[in-house]
Amino acid sequence: VTKNGIKELADRLLELDRPVPRYTSYPPANHFVAIEPRVFINALKNAGNPLSIYVHIPFCKRKCTYCGCFSMVPPGQNPVGQYIHDLASDMENISRELQGHHEVAQIQFGGGTPNFLTAGQLSKCMNHLKENFRILEDAEIGVELDPTFLEQSQVDTLKKTGFNRVSLGVQDLDQEVQRLIGRGQSREKTVNAFNMCQNAGFDSIHIDLVYGLPGQSVESLQLTLQEVIDMGPDRLSLFGFAYLPGLRPNQAKIPCDKVPGSRTRAELYLTATDQLTRAGYVRIGMDHFAKRDDELAQALEQGRLHRNFQGYTSRLAPDLLGFGVSAISDIAGAYFQNTKSLEEYSSRTGSGVPAVLRGFVLSEEDKIRRQVIESIMCNKRISFKEIEKCCLSSDSFNKHFEESLEKLSSLAGQGLIELNRDSIEVKLWAWPLVRLVAAAFDEYLEPGAVYSRVI
Ligand SMILES: C[S@@+](CC[C@H](N)C(=O)[O-])C[C@H]1O[C@@H](n2cnc3c(N)ncnc32)[C@H](O)[C@@H]1O
Ligand code: SF4
């Protein structure tokens, strides 16, 4: 794509861009309401098999100014020992409710920064999981790592205890951008961390990048991408900087005149996508990329891609147990989010009560719409027959979604989608706007609510 081509495409995308949810869940988390622990315990009785597990480690050595994750620099005395103890109680309580019937196909440690934990502490967490759940031999076990503080002993322990995927937080290699986002992560640290992981022989190395960060220009991002492509990660994510300084006090520290405007954001995204695809990466969803021979790229080609709170996956283990503060479970057609307070997490799990506070029980209609939204977010297409087969017993897709199809006809008129008799396809140029297509099926969409922009 030429520079002019990118400018034209940016114009076209910006014209249509408007704030809509990210659809990591349907309904989105802002619709969660207060929920009783017993609702969660009941849902566990109907949990699917095998399961996925997410473990949230909220601690970090520093709070980066750009960060939008639920993370903290621990106050006062080091709370990690107590937290691991609480995680273990939570795992024991829940595995007791599941009565040992369940297998686990996928585990992800995220944060915050899991490598805030020492090698010994990481190994302890993994042991607690192994004591309480039957982890399948070929399970995917992944962890998010901050390269700035990664030590060889941690890498060795991760490998030894069964982790087979790592994800490195890089964001950008430009040192001025690093300064503005409050990370100060040097190139050497990033390259060292990458090499340590590569030498350890993990099955897959993933790198997180962000576009739209303060101080970023199209040229600086291109340089970062070239260096990253040369390292050769199996997968990459390229998230749009979610900048909500009114809601996140740490982001208010960023000088706002350094944050790229929407036109530059669109150009950053389009140039980066072009550069990554030319280097042989396949675009998965809006913000993920994978090497052509990677499992994810193959799943996309074969229409087997799924999506959960951690991103895209080719494994079908849709029911998810979330451990730790703020973690979300997705079990038997309902979402459950844990408390964000360390004290409350400790007291609840210590007295044998699940730490869930908020959530949402999906109606039958919600489940159908969730399936349609997942299909469009993963495969950029909806086959009416497939939805009729899996979710609509008597209705036809056309009749059931009459209202949504009406909304979509204007997107078709603008050339975003192809509206066929028995399918909807998102056109390649409009992939970044796929959330607009999903929004046509969203019964909870509030025109006035605060969502991040699509681009
Ligand atoms: C939990 S962090 C990764 C691990 C580790 N804490 C680190 O920073 O290296 C998860 C990822 O979320 C992304 N992220 C964090 N805040 C973001 C924001 N405001 N907008 C977009 N992406 C963000 C970054 O790419 C980051 O690597
Ligand atoms: S970006 Fe990572 S290291 Fe920085 S505050 Fe967020 S979770 Fe912590």
PDB file of all heavy atoms in Angstrom, residues 266-299:
ATOM      1  N   ALA A 266      -5.022   6.360  12.971  1.00  0.00           N
ATOM      2  CA  ALA A 266      -5.456   5.528  11.847  1.00  0.00           C
ATOM      3  C   ALA A 266      -4.261   5.217  10.941  1.00  0.00           C
ATOM      4  O   ALA A 266      -4.075   4.085  10.499  1.00  0.00           O
ATOM      5  CB  ALA A 266      -6.563   6.224  11.072  1.00  0.00           C
ATOM      6  N   GLU A 267      -3.413   6.233  10.721  1.00  0.00           N
ATOM      7  CA  GLU A 267      -2.251   6.004   9.851  1.00  0.00           C
ATOM      8  C   GLU A 267      -1.259   5.045  10.516  1.00  0.00           C
ATOM      9  O   GLU A 267      -0.658   4.191   9.861  1.00  0.00           O
ATOM     10  CB  GLU A 267      -1.589   7.328   9.489  1.00  0.00           C
ATOM     11  CG  GLU A 267      -2.440   8.114   8.506  1.00  0.00           C
ATOM     12  CD  GLU A 267      -1.839   9.458   8.108  1.00  0.00           C
ATOM     13  OE1 GLU A 267      -0.623   9.651   8.311  1.00  0.00           O
ATOM     14  OE2 GLU A 267      -2.591  10.300   7.601  1.00  0.00           O
ATOM     15  N   LEU A 268      -1.093   5.182  11.845  1.00  0.00           N
ATOM     16  CA  LEU A 268      -0.195   4.261  12.569  1.00  0.00           C
ATOM     17  C   LEU A 268      -0.693   2.826  12.396  1.00  0.00           C
ATOM     18  O   LEU A 268       0.078   1.910  12.075  1.00  0.00           O
ATOM     19  CB  LEU A 268      -0.166   4.610  14.062  1.00  0.00           C
ATOM     20  CG  LEU A 268       0.614   5.860  14.484  1.00  0.00           C
ATOM     21  CD1 LEU A 268       0.263   6.262  15.911  1.00  0.00           C
ATOM     22  CD2 LEU A 268       2.121   5.629  14.368  1.00  0.00           C
ATOM     23  N   TYR A 269      -1.985   2.636  12.606  1.00  0.00           N
ATOM     24  CA  TYR A 269      -2.546   1.290  12.528  1.00  0.00           C
ATOM     25  C   TYR A 269      -2.394   0.698  11.128  1.00  0.00           C
ATOM     26  O   TYR A 269      -1.961  -0.442  10.960  1.00  0.00           O
ATOM     27  CB  TYR A 269      -4.027   1.299  12.950  1.00  0.00           C
ATOM     28  CG  TYR A 269      -4.685  -0.039  12.770  1.00  0.00           C
ATOM     29  CD1 TYR A 269      -4.403  -1.087  13.654  1.00  0.00           C
ATOM     30  CD2 TYR A 269      -5.534  -0.296  11.702  1.00  0.00           C
ATOM     31  CE1 TYR A 269      -4.967  -2.340  13.479  1.00  0.00           C
ATOM     32  CE2 TYR A 269      -6.106  -1.546  11.517  1.00  0.00           C
ATOM     33  CZ  TYR A 269      -5.816  -2.562  12.409  1.00  0.00           C
ATOM     34  OH  TYR A 269      -6.365  -3.805  12.222  1.00  0.00           O
ATOM     35  N   LEU A 270      -2.725   1.512  10.134  1.00  0.00           N
ATOM     36  CA  LEU A 270      -2.711   0.994   8.761  1.00  0.00           C
ATOM     37  C   LEU A 270      -1.283   0.715   8.281  1.00  0.00           C
ATOM     38  O   LEU A 270      -1.027  -0.303   7.634  1.00  0.00           O
ATOM     39  CB  LEU A 270      -3.402   1.988   7.819  1.00  0.00           C
ATOM     40  CG  LEU A 270      -4.915   2.118   8.044  1.00  0.00           C
ATOM     41  CD1 LEU A 270      -5.482   3.303   7.273  1.00  0.00           C
ATOM     42  CD2 LEU A 270      -5.633   0.835   7.637  1.00  0.00           C
ATOM     43  N   THR A 271      -0.342   1.610   8.632  1.00  0.00           N
ATOM     44  CA  THR A 271       1.041   1.371   8.201  1.00  0.00           C
ATOM     45  C   THR A 271       1.578   0.119   8.883  1.00  0.00           C
ATOM     46  O   THR A 271       2.250  -0.706   8.261  1.00  0.00           O
ATOM     47  CB  THR A 271       1.964   2.558   8.576  1.00  0.00           C
ATOM     48  OG1 THR A 271       1.231   3.754   8.517  1.00  0.00           O
ATOM     49  CG2 THR A 271       3.189   2.638   7.727  1.00  0.00           C
ATOM     50  N   ALA A 272       1.281  -0.026  10.173  1.00  0.00           N
ATOM     51  CA  ALA A 272       1.793  -1.178  10.919  1.00  0.00           C
ATOM     52  C   ALA A 272       1.223  -2.478  10.354  1.00  0.00           C
ATOM     53  O   ALA A 272       1.952  -3.461  10.165  1.00  0.00           O
ATOM     54  CB  ALA A 272       1.428  -1.034  12.398  1.00  0.00           C
ATOM     55  N   THR A 273      -0.077  -2.475  10.072  1.00  0.00           N
ATOM     56  CA  THR A 273      -0.718  -3.678   9.540  1.00  0.00           C
ATOM     57  C   THR A 273      -0.088  -4.064   8.204  1.00  0.00           C
ATOM     58  O   THR A 273       0.203  -5.231   7.942  1.00  0.00           O
ATOM     59  CB  THR A 273      -2.229  -3.415   9.339  1.00  0.00           C
ATOM     60  OG1 THR A 273      -2.739  -2.953  10.566  1.00  0.00           O
ATOM     61  CG2 THR A 273      -2.964  -4.658   8.932  1.00  0.00           C
ATOM     62  N   ASP A 274       0.145  -3.039   7.382  1.00  0.00           N
ATOM     63  CA  ASP A 274       0.743  -3.272   6.072  1.00  0.00           C
ATOM     64  C   ASP A 274       2.143  -3.876   6.225  1.00  0.00           C
ATOM     65  O   ASP A 274       2.493  -4.874   5.586  1.00  0.00           O
ATOM     66  CB  ASP A 274       0.798  -1.919   5.338  1.00  0.00           C
ATOM     67  CG  ASP A 274       1.326  -2.064   3.935  1.00  0.00           C
ATOM     68  OD1 ASP A 274       0.865  -2.987   3.238  1.00  0.00           O
ATOM     69  OD2 ASP A 274       2.197  -1.266   3.533  1.00  0.00           O
ATOM     70  N   GLN A 275       2.922  -3.272   7.145  1.00  0.00           N
ATOM     71  CA  GLN A 275       4.304  -3.739   7.341  1.00  0.00           C
ATOM     72  C   GLN A 275       4.331  -5.180   7.869  1.00  0.00           C
ATOM     73  O   GLN A 275       5.131  -6.004   7.406  1.00  0.00           O
ATOM     74  CB  GLN A 275       4.998  -2.792   8.336  1.00  0.00           C
ATOM     75  CG  GLN A 275       6.498  -2.974   8.418  1.00  0.00           C
ATOM     76  CD  GLN A 275       7.133  -1.890   9.290  1.00  0.00           C
ATOM     77  OE1 GLN A 275       6.481  -0.916   9.689  1.00  0.00           O
ATOM     78  NE2 GLN A 275       8.409  -2.055   9.606  1.00  0.00           N
ATOM     79  N   LEU A 276       3.449  -5.483   8.805  1.00  0.00           N
ATOM     80  CA  LEU A 276       3.440  -6.827   9.389  1.00  0.00           C
ATOM     81  C   LEU A 276       2.965  -7.863   8.375  1.00  0.00           C
ATOM     82  O   LEU A 276       3.524  -8.961   8.301  1.00  0.00           O
ATOM     83  CB  LEU A 276       2.552  -6.865  10.642  1.00  0.00           C
ATOM     84  CG  LEU A 276       3.131  -6.139  11.857  1.00  0.00           C
ATOM     85  CD1 LEU A 276       2.086  -6.012  12.970  1.00  0.00           C
ATOM     86  CD2 LEU A 276       4.361  -6.881  12.401  1.00  0.00           C
ATOM     87  N   THR A 277       1.954  -7.530   7.581  1.00  0.00           N
ATOM     88  CA  THR A 277       1.479  -8.522   6.615  1.00  0.00           C
ATOM     89  C   THR A 277       2.525  -8.726   5.523  1.00  0.00           C
ATOM     90  O   THR A 277       2.724  -9.845   5.060  1.00  0.00           O
ATOM     91  CB  THR A 277       0.100  -8.166   6.012  1.00  0.00           C
ATOM     92  OG1 THR A 277       0.052  -6.767   5.791  1.00  0.00           O
ATOM     93  CG2 THR A 277      -1.027  -8.502   6.932  1.00  0.00           C
ATOM     94  N   ARG A 278       3.224  -7.632   5.158  1.00  0.00           N
ATOM     95  CA  ARG A 278       4.279  -7.812   4.146  1.00  0.00           C
ATOM     96  C   ARG A 278       5.410  -8.680   4.681  1.00  0.00           C
ATOM     97  O   ARG A 278       6.096  -9.365   3.924  1.00  0.00           O
ATOM     98  CB  ARG A 278       4.796  -6.448   3.670  1.00  0.00           C
ATOM     99  CG  ARG A 278       3.978  -5.945   2.458  1.00  0.00           C
ATOM    100  CD  ARG A 278       4.578  -4.727   1.804  1.00  0.00           C
ATOM    101  NE  ARG A 278       4.499  -3.569   2.664  1.00  0.00           N
ATOM    102  CZ  ARG A 278       5.528  -2.880   3.116  1.00  0.00           C
ATOM    103  NH1 ARG A 278       6.756  -3.210   2.782  1.00  0.00           N
ATOM    104  NH2 ARG A 278       5.362  -1.829   3.905  1.00  0.00           N
ATOM    105  N   ALA A 279       5.604  -8.648   5.996  1.00  0.00           N
ATOM    106  CA  ALA A 279       6.665  -9.477   6.589  1.00  0.00           C
ATOM    107  C   ALA A 279       6.215 -10.919   6.801  1.00  0.00           C
ATOM    108  O   ALA A 279       6.945 -11.733   7.363  1.00  0.00           O
ATOM    109  CB  ALA A 279       7.106  -8.865   7.915  1.00  0.00           C
ATOM    110  N   GLY A 280       4.984 -11.240   6.386  1.00  0.00           N
ATOM    111  CA  GLY A 280       4.547 -12.644   6.456  1.00  0.00           C
ATOM    112  C   GLY A 280       3.630 -12.963   7.619  1.00  0.00           C
ATOM    113  O   GLY A 280       3.291 -14.127   7.850  1.00  0.00           O
ATOM    114  N   TYR A 281       3.200 -11.944   8.375  1.00  0.00           N
ATOM    115  CA  TYR A 281       2.264 -12.212   9.480  1.00  0.00           C
ATOM    116  C   TYR A 281       0.825 -12.131   8.972  1.00  0.00           C
ATOM    117  O   TYR A 281       0.510 -11.306   8.118  1.00  0.00           O
ATOM    118  CB  TYR A 281       2.464 -11.210  10.627  1.00  0.00           C
ATOM    119  CG  TYR A 281       3.718 -11.492  11.427  1.00  0.00           C
ATOM    120  CD1 TYR A 281       4.936 -10.902  11.092  1.00  0.00           C
ATOM    121  CD2 TYR A 281       3.677 -12.382  12.497  1.00  0.00           C
ATOM    122  CE1 TYR A 281       6.083 -11.183  11.817  1.00  0.00           C
ATOM    123  CE2 TYR A 281       4.823 -12.668  13.230  1.00  0.00           C
ATOM    124  CZ  TYR A 281       6.027 -12.063  12.883  1.00  0.00           C
ATOM    125  OH  TYR A 281       7.145 -12.346  13.598  1.00  0.00           O
ATOM    126  N   VAL A 282      -0.011 -13.013   9.509  1.00  0.00           N
ATOM    127  CA  VAL A 282      -1.424 -13.019   9.138  1.00  0.00           C
ATOM    128  C   VAL A 282      -2.190 -12.247  10.208  1.00  0.00           C
ATOM    129  O   VAL A 282      -1.947 -12.440  11.407  1.00  0.00           O
ATOM    130  CB  VAL A 282      -1.946 -14.480   9.088  1.00  0.00           C
ATOM    131  CG1 VAL A 282      -3.433 -14.533   8.812  1.00  0.00           C
ATOM    132  CG2 VAL A 282      -1.169 -15.270   8.059  1.00  0.00           C
ATOM    133  N   ARG A 283      -3.100 -11.373   9.781  1.00  0.00           N
ATOM    134  CA  ARG A 283      -3.869 -10.608  10.761  1.00  0.00           C
ATOM    135  C   ARG A 283      -4.998 -11.469  11.312  1.00  0.00           C
ATOM    136  O   ARG A 283      -5.795 -12.017  10.575  1.00  0.00           O
ATOM    137  CB  ARG A 283      -4.436  -9.345  10.100  1.00  0.00           C
ATOM    138  CG  ARG A 283      -5.200  -8.492  11.070  1.00  0.00           C
ATOM    139  CD  ARG A 283      -5.382  -7.061  10.613  1.00  0.00           C
ATOM    140  NE  ARG A 283      -5.636  -6.914   9.196  1.00  0.00           N
ATOM    141  CZ  ARG A 283      -6.480  -6.018   8.687  1.00  0.00           C
ATOM    142  NH1 ARG A 283      -7.151  -5.215   9.485  1.00  0.00           N
ATOM    143  NH2 ARG A 283      -6.634  -5.908   7.391  1.00  0.00           N
ATOM    144  N   ILE A 284      -5.021 -11.591  12.639  1.00  0.00           N
ATOM    145  CA  ILE A 284      -6.056 -12.384  13.303  1.00  0.00           C
ATOM    146  C   ILE A 284      -6.921 -11.377  14.052  1.00  0.00           C
ATOM    147  O   ILE A 284      -6.426 -10.681  14.924  1.00  0.00           O
ATOM    148  CB  ILE A 284      -5.434 -13.330  14.359  1.00  0.00           C
ATOM    149  CG1 ILE A 284      -4.206 -14.050  13.829  1.00  0.00           C
ATOM    150  CG2 ILE A 284      -6.464 -14.246  14.985  1.00  0.00           C
ATOM    151  CD1 ILE A 284      -4.446 -15.241  12.984  1.00  0.00           C
ATOM    152  N   GLY A 285      -8.196 -11.334  13.751  1.00  0.00           N
ATOM    153  CA  GLY A 285      -9.029 -10.328  14.411  1.00  0.00           C
ATOM    154  C   GLY A 285      -8.488  -8.957  14.085  1.00  0.00           C
ATOM    155  O   GLY A 285      -7.811  -8.750  13.078  1.00  0.00           O
ATOM    156  N   MET A 286      -8.782  -7.984  14.940  1.00  0.00           N
ATOM    157  CA  MET A 286      -8.336  -6.636  14.624  1.00  0.00           C
ATOM    158  C   MET A 286      -6.894  -6.408  15.072  1.00  0.00           C
ATOM    159  O   MET A 286      -6.118  -5.751  14.409  1.00  0.00           O
ATOM    160  CB  MET A 286      -9.247  -5.624  15.318  1.00  0.00           C
ATOM    161  CG  MET A 286      -8.572  -4.275  15.448  1.00  0.00           C
ATOM    162  SD  MET A 286      -9.637  -2.882  15.229  1.00  0.00           S
ATOM    163  CE  MET A 286      -8.468  -1.551  15.345  1.00  0.00           C
ATOM    164  N   ASP A 287      -6.521  -6.994  16.221  1.00  0.00           N
ATOM    165  CA  ASP A 287      -5.259  -6.556  16.813  1.00  0.00           C
ATOM    166  C   ASP A 287      -4.234  -7.664  17.049  1.00  0.00           C
ATOM    167  O   ASP A 287      -3.248  -7.452  17.744  1.00  0.00           O
ATOM    168  CB  ASP A 287      -5.520  -5.776  18.116  1.00  0.00           C
ATOM    169  CG  ASP A 287      -6.604  -6.400  18.966  1.00  0.00           C
ATOM    170  OD1 ASP A 287      -6.805  -7.626  18.837  1.00  0.00           O
ATOM    171  OD2 ASP A 287      -7.243  -5.670  19.739  1.00  0.00           O
ATOM    172  N   HIS A 288      -4.459  -8.841  16.493  1.00  0.00           N
ATOM    173  CA  HIS A 288      -3.485  -9.917  16.665  1.00  0.00           C
ATOM    174  C   HIS A 288      -2.896 -10.333  15.314  1.00  0.00           C
ATOM    175  O   HIS A 288      -3.578 -10.273  14.292  1.00  0.00           O
ATOM    176  CB  HIS A 288      -4.130 -11.132  17.332  1.00  0.00           C
ATOM    177  CG  HIS A 288      -4.296 -10.953  18.806  1.00  0.00           C
ATOM    178  ND1 HIS A 288      -5.128 -10.003  19.333  1.00  0.00           N
ATOM    179  CD2 HIS A 288      -3.725 -11.579  19.862  1.00  0.00           C
ATOM    180  CE1 HIS A 288      -5.066 -10.057  20.654  1.00  0.00           C
ATOM    181  NE2 HIS A 288      -4.220 -11.004  21.003  1.00  0.00           N
ATOM    182  N   PHE A 289      -1.653 -10.786  15.353  1.00  0.00           N
ATOM    183  CA  PHE A 289      -0.952 -11.229  14.143  1.00  0.00           C
ATOM    184  C   PHE A 289      -0.222 -12.517  14.485  1.00  0.00           C
ATOM    185  O   PHE A 289       0.271 -12.676  15.597  1.00  0.00           O
ATOM    186  CB  PHE A 289       0.052 -10.163  13.692  1.00  0.00           C
ATOM    187  CG  PHE A 289      -0.601  -8.866  13.290  1.00  0.00           C
ATOM    188  CD1 PHE A 289      -0.993  -7.935  14.243  1.00  0.00           C
ATOM    189  CD2 PHE A 289      -0.858  -8.590  11.952  1.00  0.00           C
ATOM    190  CE1 PHE A 289      -1.625  -6.751  13.882  1.00  0.00           C
ATOM    191  CE2 PHE A 289      -1.485  -7.412  11.578  1.00  0.00           C
ATOM    192  CZ  PHE A 289      -1.862  -6.486  12.543  1.00  0.00           C
ATOM    193  N   ALA A 290      -0.143 -13.421  13.494  1.00  0.00           N
ATOM    194  CA  ALA A 290       0.573 -14.674  13.747  1.00  0.00           C
ATOM    195  C   ALA A 290       1.296 -15.092  12.482  1.00  0.00           C
ATOM    196  O   ALA A 290       0.833 -14.790  11.372  1.00  0.00           O
ATOM    197  CB  ALA A 290      -0.412 -15.760  14.164  1.00  0.00           C
ATOM    198  N   LYS A 291       2.431 -15.777  12.665  1.00  0.00           N
ATOM    199  CA  LYS A 291       3.136 -16.313  11.507  1.00  0.00           C
ATOM    200  C   LYS A 291       2.200 -17.268  10.764  1.00  0.00           C
ATOM    201  O   LYS A 291       1.360 -17.918  11.385  1.00  0.00           O
ATOM    202  CB  LYS A 291       4.393 -17.072  11.968  1.00  0.00           C
ATOM    203  CG  LYS A 291       5.533 -16.130  12.317  1.00  0.00           C
ATOM    204  CD  LYS A 291       6.822 -16.914  12.547  1.00  0.00           C
ATOM    205  CE  LYS A 291       7.988 -15.965  12.732  1.00  0.00           C
ATOM    206  NZ  LYS A 291       9.141 -16.639  13.352  1.00  0.00           N
ATOM    207  N   ARG A 292       2.414 -17.376   9.459  1.00  0.00           N
ATOM    208  CA  ARG A 292       1.492 -18.133   8.622  1.00  0.00           C
ATOM    209  C   ARG A 292       1.321 -19.597   9.072  1.00  0.00           C
ATOM    210  O   ARG A 292       0.251 -20.169   8.976  1.00  0.00           O
ATOM    211  CB  ARG A 292       1.979 -18.095   7.162  1.00  0.00           C
ATOM    212  CG  ARG A 292       0.902 -18.341   6.148  1.00  0.00           C
ATOM    213  CD  ARG A 292       1.361 -17.942   4.759  1.00  0.00           C
ATOM    214  NE  ARG A 292       1.494 -16.501   4.617  1.00  0.00           N
ATOM    215  CZ  ARG A 292       0.471 -15.682   4.422  1.00  0.00           C
ATOM    216  NH1 ARG A 292      -0.752 -16.156   4.368  1.00  0.00           N
ATOM    217  NH2 ARG A 292       0.653 -14.385   4.306  1.00  0.00           N
ATOM    218  N   ASP A 293       2.416 -20.188   9.599  1.00  0.00           N
ATOM    219  CA  ASP A 293       2.306 -21.602   9.992  1.00  0.00           C
ATOM    220  C   ASP A 293       1.872 -21.773  11.445  1.00  0.00           C
ATOM    221  O   ASP A 293       1.808 -22.874  11.971  1.00  0.00           O
ATOM    222  CB  ASP A 293       3.644 -22.316   9.747  1.00  0.00           C
ATOM    223  CG  ASP A 293       4.792 -21.625  10.483  1.00  0.00           C
ATOM    224  OD1 ASP A 293       4.540 -20.606  11.169  1.00  0.00           O
ATOM    225  OD2 ASP A 293       5.938 -22.102  10.380  1.00  0.00           O
ATOM    226  N   ASP A 294       1.581 -20.672  12.131  1.00  0.00           N
ATOM    227  CA  ASP A 294       1.150 -20.743  13.522  1.00  0.00           C
ATOM    228  C   ASP A 294      -0.273 -21.303  13.603  1.00  0.00           C
ATOM    229  O   ASP A 294      -1.085 -21.110  12.701  1.00  0.00           O
ATOM    230  CB  ASP A 294       1.192 -19.328  14.117  1.00  0.00           C
ATOM    231  CG  ASP A 294       0.917 -19.306  15.607  1.00  0.00           C
ATOM    232  OD1 ASP A 294      -0.270 -19.316  16.006  1.00  0.00           O
ATOM    233  OD2 ASP A 294       1.888 -19.283  16.370  1.00  0.00           O
ATOM    234  N   GLU A 295      -0.547 -22.011  14.721  1.00  0.00           N
ATOM    235  CA  GLU A 295      -1.866 -22.615  14.950  1.00  0.00           C
ATOM    236  C   GLU A 295      -3.011 -21.615  14.764  1.00  0.00           C
ATOM    237  O   GLU A 295      -4.059 -21.950  14.223  1.00  0.00           O
ATOM    238  CB  GLU A 295      -1.882 -23.094  16.396  1.00  0.00           C
ATOM    239  CG  GLU A 295      -2.265 -24.530  16.598  1.00  0.00           C
ATOM    240  CD  GLU A 295      -2.222 -24.861  18.071  1.00  0.00           C
ATOM    241  OE1 GLU A 295      -1.111 -25.059  18.593  1.00  0.00           O
ATOM    242  OE2 GLU A 295      -3.296 -24.891  18.694  1.00  0.00           O
ATOM    243  N   LEU A 296      -2.809 -20.363  15.236  1.00  0.00           N
ATOM    244  CA  LEU A 296      -3.878 -19.361  15.163  1.00  0.00           C
ATOM    245  C   LEU A 296      -4.218 -19.022  13.715  1.00  0.00           C
ATOM    246  O   LEU A 296      -5.385 -18.901  13.357  1.00  0.00           O
ATOM    247  CB  LEU A 296      -3.456 -18.063  15.853  1.00  0.00           C
ATOM    248  CG  LEU A 296      -3.748 -17.873  17.320  1.00  0.00           C
ATOM    249  CD1 LEU A 296      -3.540 -16.420  17.707  1.00  0.00           C
ATOM    250  CD2 LEU A 296      -5.164 -18.311  17.689  1.00  0.00           C
ATOM    251  N   ALA A 297      -3.164 -18.843  12.895  1.00  0.00           N
ATOM    252  CA  ALA A 297      -3.380 -18.489  11.489  1.00  0.00           C
ATOM    253  C   ALA A 297      -4.114 -19.628  10.789  1.00  0.00           C
ATOM    254  O   ALA A 297      -4.997 -19.402   9.964  1.00  0.00           O
ATOM    255  CB  ALA A 297      -2.049 -18.197  10.821  1.00  0.00           C
ATOM    256  N   GLN A 298      -3.758 -20.856  11.148  1.00  0.00           N
ATOM    257  CA  GLN A 298      -4.414 -22.006  10.518  1.00  0.00           C
ATOM    258  C   GLN A 298      -5.861 -22.126  10.973  1.00  0.00           C
ATOM    259  O   GLN A 298      -6.744 -22.435  10.172  1.00  0.00           O
ATOM    260  CB  GLN A 298      -3.615 -23.269  10.799  1.00  0.00           C
ATOM    261  CG  GLN A 298      -2.286 -23.155  10.087  1.00  0.00           C
ATOM    262  CD  GLN A 298      -1.411 -24.376  10.240  1.00  0.00           C
ATOM    263  OE1 GLN A 298      -1.706 -25.283  11.009  1.00  0.00           O
ATOM    264  NE2 GLN A 298      -0.321 -24.366   9.517  1.00  0.00           N
ATOM    265  N   ALA A 299      -6.082 -21.837  12.272  1.00  0.00           N
ATOM    266  CA  ALA A 299      -7.453 -21.883  12.790  1.00  0.00           C
ATOM    267  C   ALA A 299      -8.319 -20.842  12.082  1.00  0.00           C
ATOM    268  O   ALA A 299      -9.473 -21.095  11.763  1.00  0.00           O
ATOM    269  CB  ALA A 299      -7.464 -21.642  14.294  1.00  0.00           C
TER     270      ALA A 299
END
